Amino acid sequence: MKKIEAIIRPFKLDEVKEALMEEGIRGLTISEVRGYGRQKGHTETYRGSEYRIEFIPKIKIEVVVEDGKSEKVVDAILRTAKTGQVGDGKIFIYDVKDVIRIRTEESGQDAL
Ligand SMILES: Nc1ncnc2c1ncn2[C@@H]1O[C@H](COP(=O)(O)OP(=O)(O)OP(=O)(O)O)[C@@H](O)[C@H]1O
Ligand SMILES: [Mg+2]
């Protein structure tokens, strides 16, 4: 299984969520986060050569899927989250060792 963690622009959430639902994902976690990338949230100089780092609000999406679905899930995020401007976000992909549904104690893919 893979965990796909995507940092996206908040206004893209609905569109990304719809696309993920069409891929048949079974669960999804989102959080409101703040961060910065290469532009440090800011492109202007501040006090001469110093740059002030701004934390920009983003949404973090976390979804765990079976291996065979991960490529399509990544494609769906790329397709819907992209504007082509700096700050579109990033996708991190992790291997997931196990998942356990607390209620039934099922584990592995059955627990997704
Ligand atoms: N290396 C990183 N580690 C953790 N979070 C990151 C990293 N890079 C980006 N992020 C998160 O993703 C958000 C969006 O990053 P952003 O799209 O600006 O990345 P970038 O590398 O600067 O690409 P671009 O040049 O397209 O802006 C950041 O606000 C931050 O929350
Ligand atoms: Mg950036």
Side-chain angles (χ1 to χ4, degrees), residues 37-39 86-87:
R38 294 187 296 182
Q39 295 80 15
V86 296

Side-chain angles (χ1 to χ4, degrees), residues 4 11 29 40 50-51 56 64 78 80-81 92 101 103:
I4 294 148
F11 85 91
T29 301
K40 301 193 166 52
E50 261 182 88
Y51 282 86
I56 309 285
V64 177
L78 288 174
T80 49
F92 303 99
R101 175 175 288 113
R103 178 176 60 87

Side-chain angles (χ1 to χ4, degrees), residues 100-106:
I100 301 167
R101 175 175 288 113
I102 293 174
R103 178 176 60 87
T104 57
E105 299 185 22
E106 292 160 287

Side-chain angles (χ1 to χ4, degrees), residues 13 17 28-32 59-62:
L13 176 59
K17 184 197 70 184
L28 187 66
T29 301
I30 68 158
S31 343
E32 292 177 6
I59 294 286
K60 180 168 80 177
I61 292 178
E62 294 168 81

Side-chain angles (χ1 to χ4, degrees), residues 7-8 28 30 39 47 49 51 65 67-68 74 88 112:
I7 313 290
I8 64 164
L28 187 66
I30 68 158
Q39 295 80 15
R47 291 188 182 158
S49 58
Y51 282 86
V65 298
D67 286 325
V74 168
D88 272 352
L112 283 177

Side-chain angles (χ1 to χ4, degrees), residues 38-84:
R38 294 187 296 182
Q39 295 80 15
K40 301 193 166 52
H42 211 263
T43 50
E44 290 169 36
T45 53
Y46 179 72
R47 291 188 182 158
S49 58
E50 261 182 88
Y51 282 86
R52 186 169 52 149
I53 293 172
E54 290 275 335
F55 291 106
I56 309 285
K58 301 284 176 184
I59 294 286
K60 180 168 80 177
I61 292 178
E62 294 168 81
V63 55
V64 177
V65 298
E66 54 212 68
D67 286 325
K69 241 179 217 168
S70 71
E71 207 173 316
K72 290 193 115 188
V73 164
V74 168
D75 285 349
I77 297 169
L78 288 174
R79 195 171 67 239
T80 49
K82 188 185 288 189
T83 70

